[in-house]
Amino acid sequence: EFLAVLAADDPHSVATQTEKARLAVEAIDLTDVHPSLQTSSSFGIATAGPGETWEQVVKRADEALYKAKNAGRNRIVLADAVRRLRPHA
């Protein structure tokens, strides 16, 4: 597993770029090594909310990653934005 920290506040634009990476991994041809080998990747994406610590952001991204893996792998899942910390009105 890898962690990438990007300077972005829009998870959907990050998801668009991440989808390009996912497709690139999926396109890797390993048939020279073994005819049935295929590559895939799963990603969890989270953006930092107001007052959120890096540990909280990483935890949400990790939870999203495991949702992607449990949903069949080779996909992107955006972390649940509702779970972000928000100042009370």
Side-chain angles (χ1 to χ4, degrees):
E1 293 183 13
F2 298 92
L3 171 66
V5 178
L6 306 173
D9 60 0
D10 176 16
H12 297 286
S13 66
V14 174
T16 299
Q17 295 305 311
T18 304
E19 177 64 5
K20 291 178 184 179
R22 190 194 66 74
L23 290 171
V25 170
E26 186 178 53
I28 295 171
D29 183 4
L30 295 175
T31 54
D32 306 9
V33 179
H34 193 278
S36 64
L37 282 179
Q38 296 177 329
T39 57
S40 68
S41 55
S42 300
F43 296 87
I45 296 173
T47 56
E52 202 169 19
T53 67
W54 281 109
E55 290 82 9
Q56 291 167 319
V57 177
V58 170
K59 182 178 181 191
R60 288 190 310 101
D62 196 48
E63 289 170 354
L65 169 63
Y66 280 94
K67 283 182 185 178
K69 289 180 176 184
N70 290 332
R73 301 180 182 265
N74 200 30
R75 65 192 67 226
I76 298 166
V77 172
L78 299 175
D80 184 0
V82 174
R83 295 179 63 191
R84 291 185 186 170
L85 297 177
R86 299 202 187 265
H88 296 322

